[in-house]
PDB file of all heavy atoms in Angstrom:
ATOM      1  N   VAL A 118      11.824  38.284 102.902  1.00 94.00           N
ATOM      2  CA  VAL A 118      12.512  37.019 102.610  1.00 94.00           C
ATOM      3  C   VAL A 118      13.916  36.998 103.220  1.00 94.00           C
ATOM      4  O   VAL A 118      14.452  35.947 103.556  1.00 94.00           O
ATOM      5  CB  VAL A 118      12.557  36.757 101.088  1.00 94.00           C
ATOM      6  CG1 VAL A 118      13.469  37.764 100.398  1.00 94.00           C
ATOM      7  CG2 VAL A 118      13.036  35.350 100.794  1.00 94.00           C
ATOM      8  N   LEU A 119      14.516  38.190 103.370  1.00 93.00           N
ATOM      9  CA  LEU A 119      15.827  38.263 104.042  1.00 93.00           C
ATOM     10  C   LEU A 119      15.670  38.545 105.530  1.00 93.00           C
ATOM     11  O   LEU A 119      16.403  38.026 106.367  1.00 93.00           O
ATOM     12  CB  LEU A 119      16.665  39.395 103.423  1.00 93.00           C
ATOM     13  CG  LEU A 119      17.372  39.095 102.098  1.00 93.00           C
ATOM     14  CD1 LEU A 119      18.069  40.357 101.602  1.00 93.00           C
ATOM     15  CD2 LEU A 119      18.391  37.973 102.283  1.00 93.00           C
ATOM     16  N   ARG A 120      14.672  39.374 105.836  1.00 94.00           N
ATOM     17  CA  ARG A 120      14.498  39.818 107.232  1.00 94.00           C
ATOM     18  C   ARG A 120      14.243  38.668 108.166  1.00 94.00           C
ATOM     19  O   ARG A 120      14.848  38.575 109.225  1.00 94.00           O
ATOM     20  CB  ARG A 120      13.329  40.804 107.309  1.00 94.00           C
ATOM     21  CG  ARG A 120      13.767  42.183 107.622  1.00 94.00           C
ATOM     22  CD  ARG A 120      12.670  43.181 107.896  1.00 94.00           C
ATOM     23  NE  ARG A 120      11.321  42.733 107.996  1.00 94.00           N
ATOM     24  CZ  ARG A 120      10.326  43.200 107.247  1.00 94.00           C
ATOM     25  NH1 ARG A 120      10.566  44.098 106.310  1.00 94.00           N
ATOM     26  NH2 ARG A 120       9.101  42.779 107.416  1.00 94.00           N
ATOM     27  N   TYR A 121      13.315  37.786 107.795  1.00 95.00           N
ATOM     28  CA  TYR A 121      12.913  36.732 108.740  1.00 95.00           C
ATOM     29  C   TYR A 121      14.030  35.758 109.083  1.00 95.00           C
ATOM     30  O   TYR A 121      14.219  35.429 110.253  1.00 95.00           O
ATOM     31  CB  TYR A 121      11.645  36.022 108.246  1.00 95.00           C
ATOM     32  CG  TYR A 121      10.426  36.876 108.449  1.00 95.00           C
ATOM     33  CD1 TYR A 121       9.598  37.211 107.375  1.00 95.00           C
ATOM     34  CD2 TYR A 121      10.121  37.384 109.698  1.00 95.00           C
ATOM     35  CE1 TYR A 121       8.492  38.017 107.549  1.00 95.00           C
ATOM     36  CE2 TYR A 121       9.018  38.202 109.888  1.00 95.00           C
ATOM     37  CZ  TYR A 121       8.207  38.524 108.808  1.00 95.00           C
ATOM     38  OH  TYR A 121       7.136  39.342 109.000  1.00 95.00           O
ATOM     39  N   PRO A 122      14.783  35.272 108.079  1.00 95.00           N
ATOM     40  CA  PRO A 122      15.905  34.388 108.447  1.00 95.00           C
ATOM     41  C   PRO A 122      16.895  35.083 109.368  1.00 95.00           C
ATOM     42  O   PRO A 122      17.366  34.481 110.333  1.00 95.00           O
ATOM     43  CB  PRO A 122      16.555  34.063 107.084  1.00 95.00           C
ATOM     44  CG  PRO A 122      15.503  34.292 106.093  1.00 95.00           C
ATOM     45  CD  PRO A 122      14.632  35.379 106.617  1.00 95.00           C
ATOM     46  N   VAL A 123      17.208  36.343 109.080  1.00 95.00           N
ATOM     47  CA  VAL A 123      18.165  37.048 109.918  1.00 95.00           C
ATOM     48  C   VAL A 123      17.621  37.212 111.340  1.00 95.00           C
ATOM     49  O   VAL A 123      18.336  37.015 112.321  1.00 95.00           O
ATOM     50  CB  VAL A 123      18.526  38.432 109.330  1.00 95.00           C
ATOM     51  CG1 VAL A 123      19.351  39.240 110.326  1.00 95.00           C
ATOM     52  CG2 VAL A 123      19.312  38.253 108.052  1.00 95.00           C
ATOM     53  N   ARG A 124      16.323  37.538 111.411  1.00 95.00           N
ATOM     54  CA  ARG A 124      15.715  37.687 112.742  1.00 95.00           C
ATOM     55  C   ARG A 124      15.786  36.377 113.495  1.00 95.00           C
ATOM     56  O   ARG A 124      16.094  36.344 114.693  1.00 95.00           O
ATOM     57  CB  ARG A 124      14.244  38.084 112.627  1.00 95.00           C
ATOM     58  CG  ARG A 124      14.026  39.547 112.515  1.00 95.00           C
ATOM     59  CD  ARG A 124      12.957  40.020 113.489  1.00 95.00           C
ATOM     60  NE  ARG A 124      12.311  41.227 112.962  1.00 95.00           N
ATOM     61  CZ  ARG A 124      11.094  41.248 112.488  1.00 95.00           C
ATOM     62  NH1 ARG A 124      10.339  40.166 112.509  1.00 95.00           N
ATOM     63  NH2 ARG A 124      10.602  42.363 111.996  1.00 95.00           N
ATOM     64  N   LEU A 125      15.503  35.278 112.814  1.00 95.00           N
ATOM     65  CA  LEU A 125      15.554  33.962 113.440  1.00 95.00           C
ATOM     66  C   LEU A 125      16.966  33.668 113.911  1.00 95.00           C
ATOM     67  O   LEU A 125      17.181  33.205 115.041  1.00 95.00           O
ATOM     68  CB  LEU A 125      15.094  32.879 112.446  1.00 95.00           C
ATOM     69  CG  LEU A 125      15.148  31.437 112.978  1.00 95.00           C
ATOM     70  CD1 LEU A 125      14.130  31.260 114.088  1.00 95.00           C
ATOM     71  CD2 LEU A 125      14.876  30.439 111.863  1.00 95.00           C
ATOM     72  N   PHE A 126      17.921  33.975 113.071  1.00 94.00           N
ATOM     73  CA  PHE A 126      19.317  33.755 113.411  1.00 94.00           C
ATOM     74  C   PHE A 126      19.699  34.557 114.654  1.00 94.00           C
ATOM     75  O   PHE A 126      20.329  34.035 115.593  1.00 94.00           O
ATOM     76  CB  PHE A 126      20.203  34.159 112.231  1.00 94.00           C
ATOM     77  CG  PHE A 126      21.650  34.191 112.546  1.00 94.00           C
ATOM     78  CD1 PHE A 126      22.363  33.013 112.671  1.00 94.00           C
ATOM     79  CD2 PHE A 126      22.323  35.401 112.718  1.00 94.00           C
ATOM     80  CE1 PHE A 126      23.721  33.035 112.969  1.00 94.00           C
ATOM     81  CE2 PHE A 126      23.665  35.421 113.009  1.00 94.00           C
ATOM     82  CZ  PHE A 126      24.372  34.241 113.133  1.00 94.00           C
ATOM     83  N   MET A 127      19.275  35.810 114.674  1.00 95.00           N
ATOM     84  CA  MET A 127      19.587  36.657 115.830  1.00 95.00           C
ATOM     85  C   MET A 127      18.953  36.104 117.099  1.00 95.00           C
ATOM     86  O   MET A 127      19.573  36.023 118.148  1.00 95.00           O
ATOM     87  CB  MET A 127      19.084  38.093 115.582  1.00 95.00           C
ATOM     88  CG  MET A 127      19.971  38.897 114.663  1.00 95.00           C
ATOM     89  SD  MET A 127      19.318  40.538 114.331  1.00 95.00           S
ATOM     90  CE  MET A 127      19.360  41.288 115.945  1.00 95.00           C
ATOM     91  N   TRP A 128      17.721  35.703 116.949  1.00 94.00           N
ATOM     92  CA  TRP A 128      16.973  35.137 118.078  1.00 94.00           C
ATOM     93  C   TRP A 128      17.680  33.911 118.642  1.00 94.00           C
ATOM     94  O   TRP A 128      17.821  33.723 119.843  1.00 94.00           O
ATOM     95  CB  TRP A 128      15.601  34.785 117.537  1.00 94.00           C
ATOM     96  CG  TRP A 128      14.550  34.547 118.530  1.00 94.00           C
ATOM     97  CD1 TRP A 128      14.081  35.409 119.473  1.00 94.00           C
ATOM     98  CD2 TRP A 128      13.784  33.356 118.664  1.00 94.00           C
ATOM     99  NE1 TRP A 128      13.081  34.820 120.188  1.00 94.00           N
ATOM    100  CE2 TRP A 128      12.873  33.563 119.714  1.00 94.00           C
ATOM    101  CE3 TRP A 128      13.796  32.125 117.993  1.00 94.00           C
ATOM    102  CZ2 TRP A 128      11.965  32.584 120.111  1.00 94.00           C
ATOM    103  CZ3 TRP A 128      12.882  31.165 118.388  1.00 94.00           C
ATOM    104  CH2 TRP A 128      11.992  31.390 119.438  1.00 94.00           C
ATOM    105  N   LEU A 129      18.174  33.089 117.718  1.00 94.00           N
ATOM    106  CA  LEU A 129      18.871  31.865 118.088  1.00 94.00           C
ATOM    107  C   LEU A 129      20.160  32.174 118.830  1.00 94.00           C
ATOM    108  O   LEU A 129      20.459  31.615 119.875  1.00 94.00           O
ATOM    109  CB  LEU A 129      19.207  31.102 116.814  1.00 94.00           C
ATOM    110  CG  LEU A 129      19.315  29.588 116.866  1.00 94.00           C
ATOM    111  CD1 LEU A 129      17.972  29.009 117.221  1.00 94.00           C
ATOM    112  CD2 LEU A 129      19.732  29.051 115.501  1.00 94.00           C
ATOM    113  N   PHE A 130      20.929  33.107 118.281  1.00 95.00           N
ATOM    114  CA  PHE A 130      22.234  33.378 118.848  1.00 95.00           C
ATOM    115  C   PHE A 130      22.184  34.207 120.111  1.00 95.00           C
ATOM    116  O   PHE A 130      23.127  34.221 120.886  1.00 95.00           O
ATOM    117  CB  PHE A 130      23.147  34.045 117.793  1.00 95.00           C
ATOM    118  CG  PHE A 130      24.001  33.047 117.083  1.00 95.00           C
ATOM    119  CD1 PHE A 130      23.432  32.096 116.243  1.00 95.00           C
ATOM    120  CD2 PHE A 130      25.355  33.013 117.273  1.00 95.00           C
ATOM    121  CE1 PHE A 130      24.206  31.145 115.598  1.00 95.00           C
ATOM    122  CE2 PHE A 130      26.153  32.069 116.638  1.00 95.00           C
ATOM    123  CZ  PHE A 130      25.578  31.136 115.802  1.00 95.00           C
TER     124      PHE A 130
END
Side-chain angles (χ1 to χ4, degrees):
Chain A
V118 68
L119 280 176
R120 249 188 7 236
Y121 285 123
V123 171
R124 274 229 207 108
L125 178 67
F126 170 75
M127 282 177 64
W128 196 60
L129 209 64
F130 265 67

